[in-house]
Amino acid sequence: MSETILGELSLGDLKKQLLQIIRSTGTEINESQIVILDRGLPHKSSALPVGRMGVYSFIYQDRFLKIGKAGPNSNARYNSQHYDPKNSQSNLAKSLLNDPKLVELNFNEMTIKEWIKTNTRRIDFLVDATLGIFVLNLIEAFLHLKYRPEYEGYEKQRSTLKADL
């Protein structure tokens, strides 16, 4: 697990940080209960394994675009909803298509799925479902705070966050 995220932190070191934060809450956890999968660039999506929950992330040009979570019964959220703007109320494809700064990338509803798979790096954090939803929420919140993804929350909230930085 020597791959780095944005040239700064190895995935192994990131896992150590996550384990330390989780343990600081008094939660018992062993290393095998979190698996970090770098699906690479380009990437292929995959089903959420049985008995696991997931936090997923999409990175484009060293910038986190989206970090989200899927519980153990949310395979569609984990596996496919972010690639099609019509699949859910909030997803990466819809955010990209609605961003006027990205017009020059020349994608559309028909090409966005392939564009995401070809141009974004996906890193998944698979979490043992027995740890529960609060651990999943903690991992997602930690990653949000650490990497401040472009398409999280409402746009007005994002601009406020950027002004605070």
Side-chain angles (χ1 to χ4, degrees):
M1 206 181 295
S2 62
E3 284 287 320
T4 60
I5 296 180
L6 307 182
E8 65 173 44
L9 186 68
S10 76
L11 296 178
D13 288 341
L14 179 59
K15 183 175 178 175
K16 286 177 188 173
Q17 282 185 351
L18 289 169
L19 290 168
Q20 180 181 10
I21 289 165
I22 293 164
R23 287 177 180 140
S24 76
T25 69
T27 302
E28 291 186 27
I29 184 172
N30 64 55
E31 286 192 32
S32 66
Q33 289 180 289
I34 295 179
V35 176
I36 302 177
L37 294 176
D38 186 347
R39 299 200 182 275
L41 172 71
H43 73 268
K44 292 182 180 178
S45 60
S46 181
L48 187 61
V50 174
R52 293 282 182 168
M53 306 176 290
V55 174
Y56 48 83
S57 64
F58 296 91
I59 304 165
Y60 175 66
Q61 295 183 344
D62 289 336
R63 178 81 176 117
F64 278 77
L65 299 178
K66 182 83 174 158
I67 297 172
K69 67 179 180 233
N73 299 318
S74 300
N75 186 56
R77 188 72 179 154
Y78 178 81
N79 184 39
S80 61
Q81 285 183 351
H82 286 285
Y83 300 95
D84 184 341
K86 297 177 184 171
N87 271 350
S88 65
Q89 285 289 96
S90 173
N91 62 58
L92 179 58
K94 190 179 289 186
S95 295
L96 292 169
L97 288 167
N98 290 331
D99 189 337
K101 299 180 306 251
L102 301 180
V103 171
E104 72 276 358
L105 295 177
N106 211 25
F107 44 62
N108 58 49
E109 283 191 13
M110 301 300 291
T111 62
I112 191 68
K113 177 179 182 176
E114 194 56 38
W115 188 92
I116 292 170
K117 287 183 175 191
T118 302
N119 292 284
T120 66
R121 178 180 174 193
R122 181 168 168 163
I123 299 176
D124 293 336
F125 301 78
L126 298 175
V127 181
D128 189 309
T130 62
L131 291 170
I133 195 72
F134 295 135
V135 170
L136 185 69
N137 291 343
L138 178 61
I139 293 169
E140 181 193 34
F142 171 78
L143 295 171
H144 280 164
L145 187 58
K146 185 168 185 67
Y147 295 111
R148 300 180 190 266
E150 184 75 23
Y151 303 110
E152 286 300 331
Y154 295 105
E155 188 172 356
K156 185 175 181 178
Q157 293 169 327
R158 290 192 305 263
S159 62
T160 302
L161 176 65
K162 289 177 187 175
D164 290 343
L165 297 178

